[in-house]
Structures are given as structure tokens and as C-alpha cells.
Amino acid sequence: MSYIKNMLAAGLLMVSFIAEGQQYAQSGQIQLSTPGISAEKTFFEQQTAVTIELDVPDVVIRYTLDDTAPTQNSIRYAGPILLQESATVRARAFHADFKPSDVVALQVYRLADIGQPTITFAPQPSEPYAGEGAVSLTNRQKGSFNFRDGQWLGFSADTLSIQLQYDQSVAGHQLLLSVLEDSNSWIFAPLSVIAKVGDKVVGKWELESVSSPQKQFRYIVLNLPAENLREVDLEVKMGAIPDWHPGSGNTPWLFIDEILLIGN
């Protein structure tokens, strides 16, 4: 009975009824739910722990750290995964009586050992979503899916200019922007982010396609050149809300919670 209760709770036991009686779904026809995955810290200095969970009896969770999809031959999850470097953890659930789950992924980033920059931006964030100002972008606290949680800065502009000034060289590091996507709230990822030193372009990121995602976090990573630089200017372009959206043609919202250095 407890087994059936767990199956029902996980949304895995499916029963179909016919006029002459009951017919149960055959073993292996139902897919496992996607495991839950979470990190102790998304942005960490020394170490973080990633936890994967799915409350189904006899389920086996397997994971990878090499950008491949987990198979039944991948590492078996046996407890929190301790990580000391940036990584993407991909996990999948397996069970003898069910189809494997979809793959779930989580990214974590080790921060560079460099002091926080002075940040200025134009225009300023909209007043309801101003957080603690520029400090919010370097406090290393990951925002939630609730863009009103005080961790996010919200901007409504075609172009956002950000200037970062560091006390020491950031040559050879990677610059990460953490943004929110929530099309139901008119919040989209930027179309492009360009990094400049003076008039020289030193890094560029472009959005491959504008989809209609559920709420999700997007991490935009720019590679900085191996040259002595302490000041980086970012130009963030938004574009218009796409045709498939009810707000088509309007300027979307941009929500950023962190701008951080990762890498060496």
C-alpha cells in the first residue's frame, strides 16, 4: 500500500477504466518524474554541494559532469555531490518498471578571487525593482524565480550600459551575467551583450533564438582577453518582445541579479 501511495504522490501510477472492468498500464509505459536538483550555493568561493532527489521506491538516479546526458552506466547518485570547480550537473532517474525521466541540469560557478568592482549603469533600474542598487549585483546571492524578492534589478530599456571598475587586473577571467526569463511577466533575456575596453570589443554574446520558456535562469558568460585590464564596459541590447507574445512589439523587461567574475 505504501508503494502505491508513493507512486500516486509522484504522479507515476496511471489507471485506465473500461466498461468491462479495470485495465492497468503495463510496466515500462509510464515515465518517471524529473528529479529535483538544487545547490547549496550557485556561486561559490571554495566548495558547493548539489543535491538530487526523487521520492520513488527503488529509483536510481545517475548523473554526469562532462556535458553528456546520463545513461544507466553513468555515476550513481549516493548523496550530495561536492564540487570545487564550476560545473554543469545533469541528472536522470531510472527504474525497472518505468521509462527513464527527462534530464535535469543545474549550473554552479566558482568565483574568481578578485575584489568586487564599482558598478555604474544607465539607465537606472525601475523604482519597484531597484533592490539595493549596484550592491545587489555583486552580493553573490542568487535570486529566486520571484523577481520581487529584492535580489533582482529590473530595467525597461532598449539598451543598458554597465561600467565595471576593478582594483586589479581581470585578464583571462570570465564575466558572468545572471538573468531571469519569465515570458508571462514580459521578462526576456537580452539579444546581445558586448564587452568593451575603450572602443575595443573584447567579448560578445548573442541569443541564438527567442523561445517561449517557462521561468528559468540564464547565465551569460563572456571570455575576457589575457591582457591587463581593470575596466570593462558592457552594452546590453534588448530588442522587442517577439510576435508570438501578447506584448508583441513592446520593450521587454530585463532582470539581472548578479554580475560576477569566474575562472582563474
Side-chain angles (χ1 to χ4, degrees):
M1 181 61 71
S2 61
Y3 180 89
I4 294 176
K5 287 182 178 179
N6 283 327
M7 295 298 101
L8 290 171
L12 298 175
L13 188 61
M14 182 183 300
V15 181
S16 59
F17 295 91
I18 57 177
E20 298 298 324
Q22 298 179 341
Q23 180 177 351
Y24 295 87
Q26 296 180 1
S27 175
Q29 290 186 343
I30 304 171
Q31 185 178 29
L32 285 165
S33 300
T34 304
I37 186 169
S38 61
E40 178 185 20
K41 292 182 179 180
T42 301
F43 311 119
F44 63 96
E45 297 177 6
Q46 299 296 330
Q47 178 177 281
T48 192
V50 173
T51 301
I52 312 171
E53 297 178 315
L54 184 61
D55 187 17
V56 175
D58 301 322
V59 72
V60 174
I61 297 174
R62 297 188 181 274
Y63 69 93
T64 61
L65 300 171
D66 61 359
D67 292 330
T68 62
T71 68
Q72 295 198 40
N73 296 321
S74 301
I75 306 169
R76 181 169 180 161
Y77 177 79
I81 305 165
L82 299 181
L83 298 170
Q84 296 180 337
E85 301 295 339
S86 299
T88 299
V89 182
R90 289 180 168 82
R92 196 176 196 182
F94 296 88
H95 193 288
D97 296 330
F98 303 101
K99 292 181 180 179
S101 71
D102 290 333
V103 176
V104 63
L106 180 71
Q107 295 166 294
V108 294
Y109 296 94
R110 179 165 180 161
L111 301 175
D113 186 18
I114 290 180
Q116 305 301 338
T118 299
I119 300 181
T120 56
F121 35 71
Q124 297 296 307
S126 297
E127 187 58 35
Y129 314 114
E132 297 180 1
V135 175
S136 298
L137 299 181
T138 58
N139 63 8
R140 304 183 175 188
Q141 299 298 312
K142 184 76 194 82
S144 68
F145 283 126
N146 176 12
F147 58 86
R148 297 183 177 89
D149 67 5
Q151 297 293 340
W152 296 94
L153 298 190
F155 301 87
S156 181
D158 295 330
T159 302
L160 172 64
S161 298
I162 304 172
Q163 185 180 70
L164 308 169
Q165 293 180 310
Y166 295 89
D167 291 334
Q168 63 190 96
S169 175
V170 296
H173 287 84
Q174 293 178 307
L175 190 62
L176 178 145
L177 282 76
S178 171
V179 304
L180 176 66
E181 292 182 82
D182 180 2
S183 60
N184 289 336
S185 299
W186 294 32
I187 301 171
F188 287 80
L191 293 182
S192 67
V193 180
I194 298 174
K196 294 182 178 180
V197 175
D199 294 329
K200 179 182 178 182
V201 174
V202 296
K204 186 175 183 179
W205 174 91
E206 291 182 312
L207 185 66
E208 293 183 359
S209 63
V210 181
S211 59
S212 176
Q214 301 294 322
K215 289 183 181 181
Q216 66 179 26
F217 303 128
R218 182 184 290 272
Y219 302 111
I220 298 169
V221 177
L222 298 168
N223 295 314
L224 298 179
E227 60 186 59
N228 186 23
L229 55 93
R230 298 189 180 190
E231 184 175 310
V232 181
D233 295 324
L234 299 179
E235 184 180 88
V236 184
K237 296 279 191 181
M238 288 304 295
I241 294 177
D243 293 339
W244 51 261
H245 192 277
S248 172
N250 289 288
T251 299
W253 283 94
L254 169 66
F255 275 78
I256 309 174
D257 66 340
E258 294 295 316
I259 301 178
L260 302 168
L261 279 176
I262 58 175
N264 301 335

